[in-house]
Amino acid sequence: MIKASKLAYEYIRRDEEGNVEGIVRALDGVDLDIKSGDFVAILGHNGSGKSTIAKEINAILEPTEGVLFVNNYDTSKEENIWDIRQSAGMVFQNPDNQLVASVVEEDVAFGPENLGVPTDEIILRVAEALEKVGMTAYRNSSPNHLSGGQKQRIAIAGILAMKPKCIVLDEPTAMLDPNGRKEVISTIHELNKKEGITILLITHYMDEVVGCDKVIVMDNGKVVMQGTPREIFSRPDEIKKHKLDLPQVTELADELAKEGVDMPKGILSIDEFVEAFTSRYAGK
Amino acid sequence: MLRDITLGQYYPTDSVIHRLDPRVKLTATLLFIVSMFLFHSFLGYAVAGICLAVVIVISHVPFRFMMKGLKTIWFLLIFTMIFNIFLTDGTILFQWKFIKISQEGLLTAAFMGLRLFFLIIGSSLMTLTTTPNQLTTGMETGLRWMKVIHVPVHEIAMMMSIALRFIPILMEETDKIMKAQQARGADFEEGKLMDRVRALVPVFVPLFVSAFRRANELAMAMEARCYRGDNGRTSMKPLKYAARDGIAYVIMVLFLVLIVFTDKIAALIF
Amino acid sequence: MLYLDKVNYIYQKGTAMEMPALHDVSIEIRDGEFIGVIGHTGSGKSTLIQHLNGLVKPTSGNIYYNGRDIWDEDFSRKELRTKVGLVFQYPEYQLFETTVEKDVEFGPTNMKLPKLEVQMRAFEALKTVGIGEDLYDVSPFDLSGGQKRRVAIAGILAMRPEVIVLDEPTAGLDPCGRDEILEAIARIRKERNITVVLVSHSMEDVARYVDRLIVMDHGMVKFDGPTKEVFQNYEELEKIGLAAPQVTYLTAALMKKGVPLPGIATTVEEAKEMLKAVTGAR
């Protein structure tokens, strides 16, 4: 679905007078291979290059070096832009700044309208998309009256109505409260499972990564770690080195192991912890 | 809550007027404004007034609600009337030093006042019965022919609908920034005029920065959703004329004929 | 020092959109406390903190600052705002000056202090939040997210408030930026010894830092007590759409399985000590 080879992106930083201050290499030799139907998380602190990847995938930025293919379209070719954006939809961080219309259903219709879809089909697609994110009841509301989590679900519906193969979400939960975060994360998991849509979730919240197929950790524009959540979480010291957090249970298990308590590596959930702990220390 | 302020002043009821195609209402409003200049007789005013009253009754918008919207314009109305009373020459009815009131002055003032009143009520009837969204769509569809003379109709309509979405957000944001600066000791209520203007800098700078940031992000989000102007763009809710819209157009023509006709008759009688 | 007595607040009173936002809220904030306020969006916590410095007037009830009613005729609320510093959510959106230093000086300048004093306070505040001198002349718009936010906090701190109220100071930051802010708050506590009220969505942060926790729900105070005691009610918290730290659930689950723990834990360190004790610290 998404394939990158030695992808690099550089931009020139200028000071106030417009003099060149230096060249920033936001992406540096990134190789990616994301298969259709995968749920992949990209982790990294701010400035690690993870948002640049999202913009590359959506052909908002053009690669400086290397190649990037999205749904077999080369992103460096101008004529592919609209096909790329249709097949890999994008959801941004700020829920307010990506909704265009002042009525929910009209906003969801915005994408298909741009694609020139006939009226009857737009109506069908909008109804279907709102159904999938569970927002049908709000179709005639104003986005201004919705919660952050609901607005993000509308943004997702707006992308779904374009019938994409893949959705790229650039820190979709950073501005939400815990309930909003849960709403959004469970919505995208469901889309991945039921509709088979490839999901690329860019985030810095470790706990959102737990149910993913694959995790990619970025730092300094490079891919520094890659693997299943369990593989990644088994290397807690490395994660901390890249300025990321661990879920509390993983951290606790790791701390205990360091103190000589027999705990396995890469614990992801409360249940796993309880299971591991009681099987070893029951009755003591 | 600031976000609940609706732009314009849409008054939701389920009347025939509300259900009319926005293009019809736009045309009707335009026609009504033009018609105001087609008659100069009492009879004309009476006919126009009756027609307006009938439409108001059909629209189910309470007259008192409409008058509320007039509040800010009362001043203009009275000002115009006074101006006309004192500055029109003619048969003097009353004189005190340099102030004189003439019969013609009173008449022109009454006509001017009435005409202004009709204009305002007539056009607010449109905004009261049409949502801002419908109005935008109506303009885009109804004025599409203007593209021939290079008027960017689609772009203007898109700008209007984005403004409709973001004005409440920015208003709420202004409120928040003002409070935040107040928490840093800013004072918006005291001091001379210049001080008060200067006190707004800490509000407007962050507001503009935020507006530009939002604009940037929105532009990117729109592009990501394949927006490329109205090239091959379709619509989920295209405007379609119904039978009632045809009837409305016929009534409009009849109204125009009636107005011109009454003025002719009035001229014959008086 | 701050005392709220049966405060009620009704949104847009007298209009169709009338909505109760606070209901009979009575809270006492004492000198030197570190208080956390939690509650889901719309629970009234933002409205509550805007009452503390007189930005919002209660519909009924009274608020006292050092024994004086803040809505008395002759009480200066402008002065109150310098004593009760309120840092709004996303405070970096209120930066407006050309340099970091000037922006931080805005508050003390409004207090009409002598120039030297203003500068001193700004330096001091910037130091507390960990912004180095090399950044004083930089435009605040060129800073990183975490830095911007610390500058904004310094802007409040420079007024030398006796209480500082922070509305979700870590929202939207990455772990790095979040730690910077939390460290800055810890330093404020240590260096200034002032009262801190922290509104947060992160139960982990609240559990780690604050001594007393106030839980808001539907405009009412649902719980108010020592942090650990409040988290004992984790099942109740769940019902009103909130949660406890993950280790709290973990220790509760372990106890249910018969692991003999002295009680629930609220921080990783605490849980670690408990579990180590159980295993006999081999």
Side-chain angles (χ1 to χ4, degrees):
Chain A
M1 183 68 223
I2 297 168
K3 246 188 148 115
S5 161
K6 298 202 175 60
L7 182 67
Y9 178 73
E10 283 176 352
Y11 63 94
I12 298 166
R13 207 172 52 195
R14 293 174 194 276
D15 63 10
E16 276 164 38
E17 280 89 48
N19 301 317
V20 176
E21 273 190 334
I23 291 170
V24 181
R25 212 167 159 83
L27 288 181
D28 188 6
V30 171
D31 294 322
L32 277 181
D33 185 11
I34 293 165
K35 292 193 178 56
S36 210
D38 269 1
F39 191 123
V40 178
I42 298 188
L43 279 166
H45 62 84
N46 287 347
S48 60
K50 61 188 195 303
S51 286
T52 312
I53 288 227
K55 285 174 192 158
E56 287 279 357
I57 292 172
N58 213 257
I60 292 169
L61 298 175
E62 212 180 292
T64 313
E65 284 164 34
V67 283
L68 173 62
F69 285 91
V70 174
N71 197 20
N72 294 323
Y73 295 110
D74 185 344
T75 62
S76 64
K77 297 234 161 55
E78 179 79 33
E79 70 266 22
N80 287 339
I81 285 187
W82 307 113
D83 288 319
I84 290 166
R85 290 185 185 163
Q86 189 267 316
S87 38
M90 186 141 161
V91 174
F92 296 86
Q93 186 187 57
N94 190 320
D96 269 325
N97 299 351
Q98 54 185 317
L99 302 182
V100 184
S102 32
V103 179
V104 164
E105 60 175 3
E106 286 176 19
D107 187 82
V108 177
F110 183 73
E113 284 178 346
N114 290 332
L115 295 172
V117 175
T119 301
D120 296 343
E121 205 194 321
I122 296 181
I123 294 170
L124 279 178
R125 284 194 188 190
V126 169
E128 203 184 342
L130 283 171
E131 187 69 45
K132 280 178 193 161
V133 299
M135 289 293 291
T136 307
Y138 298 89
R139 59 180 306 162
N140 289 314
S141 307
S142 153
N144 292 346
H145 293 259
L146 302 180
S147 72
Q150 290 173 326
K151 281 185 222 174
Q152 286 300 55
R153 275 150 70 196
I154 296 301
I156 294 170
I159 298 299
L160 278 180
M162 293 166 67
K163 304 242 171 199
K165 292 204 167 129
C166 169
I167 301 180
V168 182
L169 302 103
D170 188 4
E171 298 194 39
T173 57
M175 296 182 77
L176 306 183
D177 66 4
N179 291 330
R181 283 176 53 192
K182 266 187 233 159
E183 272 174 48
V184 171
I185 295 299
S186 68
T187 303
I188 52 179
H189 271 291
E190 210 174 283
L191 289 176
N192 175 254
K193 266 191 214 103
K194 285 195 186 150
E195 314 289 326
I197 294 173
T198 314
I199 302 278
L200 193 61
L201 173 67
I202 294 166
T203 181
H204 53 239
Y205 289 115
M206 269 303 194
D207 48 343
E208 292 174 1
V209 171
V210 171
C212 297
D213 300 323
K214 189 176 167 191
V215 181
I216 294 169
V217 180
M218 294 204 49
D219 201 356
N220 266 327
K222 291 190 181 79
V223 172
V224 287
M225 293 169 83
Q226 216 172 138
T228 62
R230 193 174 308 283
E231 283 162 13
I232 298 288
F233 283 50
S234 308
R235 293 144 73 186
D237 294 334
E238 259 182 88
I239 290 178
K240 284 186 189 155
K241 198 180 86 198
H242 298 301
K243 298 186 193 164
L244 291 169
D245 260 356
L246 287 170
Q248 283 194 328
V249 281
T250 317
E251 192 180 347
L252 179 61
D254 176 50
E255 295 272 321
L256 285 170
K258 277 184 191 147
E259 301 267 344
V261 177
D262 176 24
M263 285 297 279
K265 281 191 172 286
I267 284 202
L268 297 176
S269 68
I270 293 177
D271 293 342
E272 282 179 25
F273 189 108
V274 171
E275 172 65 37
F277 192 85
T278 48
S279 67
R280 286 170 172 78
Y281 296 99
K284 293 218 172 178
Chain B
M1 232 181 279
L2 269 166
R3 71 173 81 166
D4 282 322
I5 293 175
T6 33
L7 267 171
Q9 33 175 353
Y10 183 64
Y11 189 93
T13 65
D14 192 30
S15 76
V16 188
I17 306 288
H18 282 73
R19 270 174 282 151
L20 280 179
D21 190 291
R23 284 171 292 180
V24 173
K25 284 186 267 190
L26 271 168
T27 319
T29 310
L30 218 67
L31 215 76
F32 187 69
I33 292 171
V34 170
S35 76
M36 284 292 113
F37 300 95
L38 291 180
F39 56 82
H40 314 276
S41 62
F42 269 122
L43 207 57
Y45 283 103
V47 170
I50 290 167
C51 290
L52 193 61
V54 169
V55 178
I56 291 172
V57 170
I58 300 176
S59 77
H60 291 302
V61 179
F63 190 64
R64 240 191 303 148
F65 189 83
M66 305 187 79
M67 296 305 282
K68 249 195 241 165
L70 270 178
K71 237 188 253 164
T72 44
I73 309 168
W74 273 124
F75 172 75
L76 184 75
L77 203 76
I78 291 167
F79 185 76
T80 326
M81 286 176 72
I82 291 176
F83 216 67
N84 271 298
I85 291 179
F86 293 122
L87 291 180
T88 316
D89 285 329
T91 326
I92 309 272
L93 289 178
F94 172 85
Q95 187 162 20
W96 180 71
K97 286 181 185 170
F98 62 92
I99 298 175
K100 40 189 169 178
I101 295 174
S102 68
Q103 195 183 348
E104 283 81 358
L106 276 179
L107 263 177
T108 348
F111 280 160
M112 275 306 269
L114 218 56
R115 191 174 285 174
L116 212 62
F117 180 74
F118 281 175
L119 277 182
I120 295 158
I121 292 286
S123 44
S124 63
L125 195 59
M126 176 178 69
T127 50
L128 282 164
T129 59
T130 322
T131 62
N133 278 318
Q134 288 174 329
L135 217 57
T136 317
T137 332
M139 273 183 58
E140 184 175 1
T141 327
L143 301 179
R144 194 173 279 156
W145 53 272
M146 282 174 84
K147 263 204 281 188
V148 183
I149 51 169
H150 298 290
V151 178
V153 180
H154 166 77
E155 282 74 11
I156 292 171
M158 182 56 82
M159 271 159 61
M160 275 175 60
S161 70
I162 289 173
L164 284 176
R165 163 140 169 70
F166 279 89
I167 285 172
I169 294 177
L170 289 175
M171 282 182 25
E172 202 182 353
E173 192 154 344
T174 312
D175 183 54
K176 198 181 152 188
I177 295 173
M178 279 178 83
K179 275 187 180 164
Q181 304 299 28
Q182 269 179 294
R184 290 212 274 167
D187 198 333
F188 305 114
E189 277 130 35
E190 279 166 34
K192 293 189 213 85
L193 185 67
M194 264 321 279
D195 291 334
R196 283 203 219 179
V197 173
R198 209 168 298 139
L200 287 177
V201 172
V203 177
F204 281 121
V205 173
L207 191 64
F208 277 120
V209 171
S210 149
F212 278 113
R213 187 174 40 83
R214 284 182 193 279
N216 245 328
E217 286 180 19
L218 184 71
M220 207 198 297
M222 283 169 74
E223 270 189 38
R225 283 165 78 182
C226 294
Y227 180 70
R228 48 199 135 163
D230 60 347
N231 291 348
R233 207 165 182 271
T234 49
S235 170
M236 174 169 74
K237 298 173 179 169
L239 291 176
K240 263 190 221 121
Y241 280 124
R244 57 171 172 266
D245 299 312
I247 297 169
Y249 276 124
V250 172
I251 292 174
M252 267 184 252
V253 174
L254 287 178
F255 169 73
L256 212 60
V257 170
L258 191 67
I259 282 290
V260 176
F261 196 58
T262 48
D263 213 41
K264 285 275 181 302
I265 292 180
L268 282 179
I269 298 174
F270 303 106
Chain C
M1 68 192 319
L2 259 171
Y3 182 61
L4 278 71
D5 185 25
K6 292 213 174 89
V7 169
N8 281 284
Y9 181 70
I10 298 167
Y11 243 144
Q12 307 227 327
K13 199 175 164 57
T15 71
M17 265 99 65
E18 189 173 302
M19 196 170 71
L22 289 181
H23 185 73
D24 268 347
V25 172
S26 297
I27 294 171
E28 195 186 348
I29 295 172
R30 287 170 289 263
D31 229 342
E33 277 189 309
F34 195 167
I35 303 177
V37 179
I38 59 173
H40 59 83
T41 313
S43 62
K45 57 189 193 318
S46 291
T47 314
L48 173 70
I49 59 171
Q50 290 181 21
H51 277 82
L52 299 181
N53 68 349
L55 276 175
V56 174
K57 190 178 179 178
T59 315
S60 73
N62 300 82
I63 299 163
Y64 301 96
Y65 178 71
N66 289 337
R68 294 194 51 206
D69 191 324
I70 67 164
W71 286 97
D72 263 357
E73 281 284 316
D74 56 344
F75 188 90
S76 166
R77 276 172 300 280
K78 205 176 158 189
E79 199 188 314
L80 172 72
R81 287 177 198 145
T82 68
K83 301 278 189 228
V84 182
L86 175 55
V87 181
F88 273 79
Q89 211 181 352
Y90 299 105
E92 60 271 30
Y93 293 166
Q94 280 102 51
L95 301 175
F96 69 99
E97 272 288 2
T98 46
T99 69
V100 165
E101 189 191 324
K102 276 192 200 160
D103 209 291
V104 177
E105 285 172 357
F106 180 67
T109 307
N110 283 329
M111 291 164 77
K112 310 220 160 49
L113 296 168
K115 180 79 192 142
L116 204 67
E117 171 84 12
V118 168
Q119 252 175 356
M120 226 177 66
R121 287 186 176 206
F123 288 169
E124 189 189 72
L126 282 165
K127 201 173 155 231
T128 306
V129 298
I131 295 287
E133 271 177 54
D134 51 320
L135 294 174
Y136 286 9
D137 290 326
V138 172
S139 161
F141 299 105
D142 287 342
L143 302 175
S144 78
Q147 286 172 330
K148 271 188 201 168
R149 202 165 287 185
R150 279 182 289 152
V151 169
I153 294 174
I156 295 291
L157 214 53
M159 300 193 298
R160 289 209 190 132
E162 291 170 12
V163 184
I164 189 163
V165 185
L166 302 116
D167 192 358
E168 288 179 52
T170 58
L173 295 176
D174 68 353
C176 223
R178 186 200 61 207
D179 289 346
E180 280 171 19
I181 299 285
L182 291 173
E183 273 160 32
I185 294 170
R187 258 202 311 278
I188 293 170
R189 284 278 297 164
K190 220 174 99 192
E191 290 175 12
R192 307 278 176 105
N193 198 25
I194 60 176
T195 310
V196 176
V197 178
L198 179 71
V199 178
S200 181
H201 276 318
S202 164
M203 301 304 148
E204 279 78 13
D205 294 349
V206 168
R208 224 164 90 195
Y209 290 95
V210 308
D211 309 320
R212 176 179 155 199
L213 194 56
I214 296 171
V215 182
M216 296 292 296
D217 181 42
H218 285 102
M220 282 182 279
V221 177
K222 184 93 181 173
F223 295 105
D224 180 359
T227 310
K228 208 170 158 158
E229 276 176 32
V230 172
F231 278 131
Q232 295 283 351
N233 305 296
Y234 62 93
E235 277 161 329
E236 293 267 335
L237 289 176
E238 195 112 312
K239 269 186 216 143
I240 56 174
L242 294 169
Q246 205 183 14
V247 285
T248 305
Y249 294 109
L250 174 69
T251 42
L254 285 170
M255 281 195 287
K256 228 173 251 166
K257 287 270 177 181
V259 179
L261 297 178
I264 57 149
T266 52
T267 63
V268 173
E269 286 75 45
E270 200 185 354
K272 187 174 115 187
E273 292 312 316
M274 282 181 183
L275 293 176
K276 247 170 68 182
V278 171
T279 60
R282 322 192 240 182

